[in-house]
Structures are given as C-alpha cells and as structure tokens.
Amino acid sequence: MKDVIVVIGAGSIGQAIARRVSAGKHVLLADLRQGNADAAAKTLSDAGFEVTTATVDVSSRASVHALVEQATALGNVFGLIHAAGVSPSQASPETILHVDLYGTALVLEEFGNVIARGGAGVVIASQSGHRLPALTPEQDKALATTPVEELLALPLLQPDQVKDSLHAYQVSKRGNSLRVMAEAVRWGKRGARVNTISPGIIITPLANDELKGPRGAGYRRMLEVSPAGRAGTPDEVGTVGALLMGPDGAFITGSDFLMDGGVTSAYWYGELAEK
C-alpha cells in the first residue's frame, strides 16, 4: 500500500500542487464531475503519476466519507489538496456557503480523522477573505470551531446578513482560513499539518469566468493597479503548495499564505482603496 495524495477539485491549481508532491505516491483525484476527474487523470497519468478517480460532492457528508473510505483502502492518506469550490459568478449565496464554507469544514474534519503521521494538507482559500472587514472575536471563533453540522446556522451566515454571492464568498474564504487554524491543532495531535493558500487572480477556467462575468471590469482593474501588474499562474500556487506540504515547510501549520500580486495591498492602501 502506497502513500496517498487526495486531490479534491480537478482544476489547474489542484493539479499544479499534485504534480509537485505526488511522485512515487498514489493520487486519488476527486471532482463533482467525473469528466473533469477523468481529463485531469489522463494528464497526470501521461506524466507518469499513478491515479485513481472518484466523484465527490463536498457539501454531502456521505459523499465525503465515501471518499475517505476509498482513500484509506488505497493506502495511508499522506496528503490532502482541497481545491474544490464555486465562485461568486457561478452560484447563489446559499450554494457558496454550502460548498465553500460547510464543504471545506467537512473535508477538514473527515480527512483530519485519517491523515497519516507526517502528512500535510493544503486548502485553497482566496484573496477575497482578506477583503472582508474584521469580524468580532466571537464571530472568528464561531467560524473556526462551531461543529460542522451547526455551522450554517450561525447568525452571521443567515440571509439577512449575507445578501449577495460576493459577500458569501468572502465570508466563506475567511472562514476557511480560520477553520484551518483550528483544525491545525487537531491535525497536530496526529503528527500532521494543514495550511491555507489565498490566491489572487490565477488564470484558471474559474478565473476566466469571473473576468468575463458581471464583475469582470473590476477584476481587470485589480490586475492593472496591483504591485505585480498581472495575474498569477497555477504553477506559482503549486510552488507554495509544495513548500507547505513538503519537508521544507515542516514548521508551518495553521497558517494562511496570501499570494495575490499585491491586490489586497492596493485594496487597503493603494489605488483600489476607497477615498
């Protein structure tokens, strides 16, 4: 039985990290759509990786638990790359909260029960979580530690508080980084680590949807005035993911890595800041 790297979300970022950390390991590649998983599996298989595919709905405990059972049947779960999610242009506030917030908490809980000693996980959050104004300490703690099945009942997540998809996305991604901070304590008791990466605009199909969507002009403006002056690539996220999952990142856990070309800096202190 080999060490297993579980990749949830068969997109460009998940694949980029997987390519850097999965040599000699078995990749279990899961996506909501079997066709997406199959296409990514062919790419990885053609590059020499051993890959099994699965379908998973991260908003369903039964589905996530079935994925855990499939993973543990293959070997020791040594790595988790959670890159599944929906964007503000793709879904309603309710769906975003179910997939991006609840789904991530569920994945962290279920895989935190089986992660191997010496293993590591990376959750893909977003720069959007850094543009949400500060929450209260009580709200932070609630997002971080509320039992998974009670999470969506929190007052700050109700329809009268979360009124549009962008706000739902921002609070979900803030919640991801807070949840990972709390889960790092539990994962640490198994000798494992977990962190978040909060990418900015990385050129993927999801980002292209946003650039062409109703907020497209705003996204292009972000890139124009950001310190880096450009979008990022999945390979750049892959480099950070490899650090966090590998031996060079052995002292890093419960942390969030913002890599957005400085868009957040411009949002708070630069040309994107409200005058």
Side-chain angles (χ1 to χ4, degrees):
M1 294 176 73
K2 289 189 174 181
D3 288 335
V4 178
I5 304 292
V6 179
V7 184
I8 302 177
S12 305
I13 290 176
Q15 289 184 56
I17 300 174
R19 292 174 76 97
R20 286 162 173 80
V21 302
S22 302
K25 298 180 174 64
H26 192 113
V27 179
L28 176 56
L29 184 58
D31 197 275
L32 181 64
R33 296 175 178 83
Q34 185 66 47
N36 291 347
D38 289 343
K42 183 178 188 308
T43 300
L44 290 172
S45 295
D46 287 346
F49 295 94
E50 183 180 357
V51 186
T52 297
T53 63
T55 57
V56 66
D57 175 359
V58 298
S59 67
S60 161
R61 183 176 287 276
S63 182
V64 173
H65 188 71
L67 182 65
V68 170
E69 292 187 329
Q70 184 175 352
T72 54
L74 291 168
N76 295 316
V77 179
F78 195 75
L80 170 70
I81 302 165
H82 181 46
V86 290
S87 76
S89 292
Q90 294 176 319
S92 66
E94 182 182 19
T95 298
I96 290 168
L97 291 173
H98 273 84
V99 173
D100 291 3
L101 182 67
Y102 170 83
T104 297
L106 180 56
V107 165
L108 287 166
E109 180 181 275
E110 287 279 348
F111 278 95
N113 292 335
V114 300
I115 191 74
R117 176 164 293 276
V122 167
V123 171
I124 303 303
S126 169
Q127 65 174 359
S128 282
H130 290 261
R131 291 206 297 278
L132 187 72
L135 301 174
T136 67
E138 292 76 18
Q139 289 172 326
D140 282 346
K141 185 175 181 180
L143 286 171
T145 64
T146 297
V148 175
E149 300 307 328
E150 300 171 19
L151 189 56
L152 294 177
L154 289 174
L156 80 161
L157 301 179
Q158 300 316 299
D160 64 328
Q161 299 295 314
V162 181
K163 298 183 179 180
D164 58 63
S165 292
L166 180 59
H167 185 200
Y169 188 73
Q170 289 177 336
V171 75
S172 294
K173 295 304 181 179
R174 175 72 63 80
N176 292 166
S177 60
L178 291 165
R179 199 83 189 181
V180 161
M181 187 179 292
E183 281 283 346
V185 178
R186 191 170 70 97
W187 283 44
K189 293 175 182 177
R190 296 183 61 89
R193 301 179 296 105
V194 62
N195 295 284
T196 48
I197 301 174
S198 290
I201 300 173
I202 308 296
I203 297 303
T204 65
L206 185 149
N208 281 325
D209 282 349
E210 289 296 322
L211 287 166
K212 296 170 185 174
R215 284 176 285 274
Y219 277 78
R220 290 188 292 274
R221 169 74 173 159
M222 285 184 205
L223 297 179
E224 289 167 5
V225 305
S226 69
R230 64 171 176 87
T233 65
D235 283 345
E236 289 173 304
V237 183
T239 299
V240 176
L243 166 67
L244 296 177
M245 295 187 72
D248 288 343
F251 197 56
I252 307 171
T253 192
S255 296
D256 176 63
F257 282 73
L258 174 64
M259 52 176 307
D260 67 350
V263 167
T264 300
S265 299
Y267 181 84
W268 289 111
Y269 307 114
E271 293 180 53
L272 293 175
E274 295 183 4
K275 304 301 182 185

